[in-house]
Amino acid sequence: MYAQMIKSEASQDDPEKLAAFQARIDRGEKIEPKDWMPEGYRKTLIRQIGQHAHSEIVGQLPEGNWVTRAPTLERKAILLAKVQDEAGHGLYLYCAAETLGISRDEMTEMLLDGRMKYSSIFNYPTLTWADMGAVGWLVDGAAIMNQVPLQRTSYGPYARAMVRICKEESFHQRQGFDVMMKMCQGSEAQKRMAQDALNRFWFPSLMMFGPSDKDSKHSAQSMKWRIKMNTNDELRQKFVDQTVPQAEYLGLTVPDPDLTWNEETGHYDFTEPDWAEFMEVLAGNGPCNRDRMEARNRAWDEGAWVREGLMAHATKQRAVSVAAE
């Protein structure tokens, strides 16, 4: 339905403008907020950037749960800084989306009423401290795989926001790998905890790249517009190829009995995620969907007085400014 809507909207745009727009994309030029763009391009960006921003904000929840329970003061400080980074990433992305003519209030309301989604990975619980390692190593590792190419995306504000986000995400991934390494070098119980975290987060991490290319509704048009630079399956394969040797270095076993190195292709063969589970999580039936949305609704409701106060102050300042003129 969404792809049909984009096609319908694109067909209503002036053919000459569409051709000129695509020529700019093909030359590698950046599209800026005041430039003409097809309505389908704008809506695709709002959907993708909005989902990205929501994922950064919701992603604070499973990690924030462990700030007070981190094993040392240093680990608490590191995790707190990481959670703060995620809030900043959400802010950059909401600002980028606002250049497309939508407010962050509108995007938040779309999240709360189900019109927008966030990454499925954040609907899984973090049960032990080792999960903080797995989230940093695997989840942020998958995020980096997705996001580094977005520094070259065709929409200027999005591409520029991704530069700082990717730099900070690289630290998050290293922090997670360091947690896993320390646990794997610790007691047998700690290593078992690290293996358990890998077992639970491996396949949900593979799902982060989205559905298989053959089932992806948006990839072809997004690739043509250079909103996306790689297909879902390309990124998933690259993630597996990079992460399996890291697991071996840690002395951990990737929970996939069919994982094998393919000499002919130069890549690992691996088991596809359970796409039925993926669709269930997206539909709101994951282990933590209800908790995550309750937390976001509560934050929205309890923050109403702050938003109202800021708006009242801005109105007052505007009136003072007009009077001074």
Side-chain angles (χ1 to χ4, degrees):
M1 179 64 72
Y2 183 81
Q4 290 175 345
M5 180 182 69
I6 289 179
K7 186 176 180 181
S8 174
E9 288 168 346
S11 67
Q12 294 173 13
D13 287 316
D14 183 280
E16 291 186 7
K17 285 186 175 181
L18 283 173
F21 178 81
Q22 188 61 51
R24 291 189 63 193
I25 298 289
D26 295 341
R27 289 195 299 269
E29 294 181 20
K30 288 287 185 281
I31 307 301
E32 299 298 339
K34 292 184 179 180
D35 295 343
W36 182 89
M37 64 186 72
E39 184 62 13
Y41 179 84
R42 187 183 75 86
K43 288 190 174 182
T44 297
L45 280 167
I46 288 174
R47 178 185 61 81
Q48 182 168 321
I49 300 173
Q51 177 176 306
H52 193 167
H54 296 325
S55 298
E56 298 285 356
I57 300 302
V58 176
Q60 297 174 97
L61 298 175
E63 294 177 317
N65 187 44
W66 279 92
V67 170
T68 59
R69 294 184 285 167
T72 67
L73 181 60
E74 180 183 31
R75 291 293 184 190
K76 292 181 196 296
I78 291 170
L79 186 56
L80 188 61
K82 182 183 178 185
V83 172
Q84 184 176 355
D85 282 349
E86 308 295 7
H89 297 173
L91 176 62
Y92 308 150
L93 292 163
Y94 284 133
C95 288
E98 285 179 322
T99 65
L100 293 159
I102 187 170
S103 71
R104 70 191 67 187
D105 282 5
E106 290 177 276
M107 286 183 282
T108 301
E109 289 167 357
M110 292 170 75
L111 170 68
L112 299 181
D113 66 21
R115 287 176 291 157
M116 271 192 173
K117 304 292 185 181
Y118 55 89
S119 180
S120 60
I121 191 71
F122 299 120
N123 288 311
Y124 290 86
T126 47
L127 304 177
T128 71
W129 173 248
D131 288 6
M132 292 299 95
V135 167
W137 171 38
L138 299 175
V139 176
D140 291 320
I144 292 169
M145 202 69 68
N146 261 320
Q147 294 170 11
V148 165
L150 292 177
Q151 294 174 101
R152 307 192 313 277
T153 193
S154 62
Y155 189 58
Y158 193 20
R160 290 188 287 273
M162 292 313 304
V163 173
R164 179 167 180 174
I165 290 174
C166 287
K167 288 179 179 178
E168 293 177 349
E169 291 288 4
S170 68
F171 280 102
H172 299 172
Q173 195 269 349
R174 294 176 196 176
Q175 173 263 342
F177 189 79
D178 182 67
V179 169
M180 296 296 276
M181 187 161 60
K182 291 293 192 296
M183 298 199 74
C184 289
Q185 293 171 347
S187 67
E188 283 301 315
Q190 288 173 316
K191 187 170 182 179
R192 285 196 300 272
M193 193 181 295
Q195 181 65 61
D196 175 65
L198 172 58
N199 292 347
R200 286 182 287 105
F201 276 93
W202 175 254
F203 284 108
S205 295
L206 296 187
M207 295 177 193
M208 285 181 65
F209 299 97
S212 170
D213 289 347
K214 67 181 186 298
D215 299 318
S216 180
K217 299 177 182 179
H218 314 307
S219 287
Q221 185 62 71
S222 292
M223 294 279 288
K224 183 178 180 181
W225 279 331
R226 295 177 66 85
I227 293 174
K228 285 179 65 171
M229 310 302 291
N230 303 90
T231 71
N232 297 347
D233 288 343
E234 287 173 350
L235 292 170
R236 194 170 6 255
Q237 182 68 65
K238 187 176 180 182
F239 174 76
V240 172
D241 291 347
Q242 175 180 291
T243 308
V244 170
Q246 295 172 355
E248 292 173 348
Y249 178 82
L250 291 171
L252 299 176
T253 302
V254 173
D256 181 355
D258 297 324
L259 181 73
T260 55
W261 176 255
N262 189 322
E263 291 285 352
E264 189 173 322
T265 64
H267 298 289
Y268 283 95
D269 294 333
F270 61 95
T271 302
E272 288 282 308
D274 182 344
W275 294 118
E277 176 185 327
F278 175 72
M279 297 309 297
E280 276 292 293
V281 174
L282 284 187
N285 301 317
C288 297
N289 285 73
R290 183 175 299 178
D291 291 342
R292 302 296 184 239
M293 291 309 301
E294 284 179 355
R296 292 306 303 135
N297 272 285
R298 185 167 59 251
W300 181 249
D301 293 340
E302 293 178 357
W305 69 273
V306 177
R307 296 192 299 277
E308 291 167 2
L310 289 172
M311 289 302 296
H313 177 72
T315 301
K316 181 176 179 181
Q317 291 297 104
R318 194 177 302 116
V320 169
S321 178
V322 171
E325 293 176 357

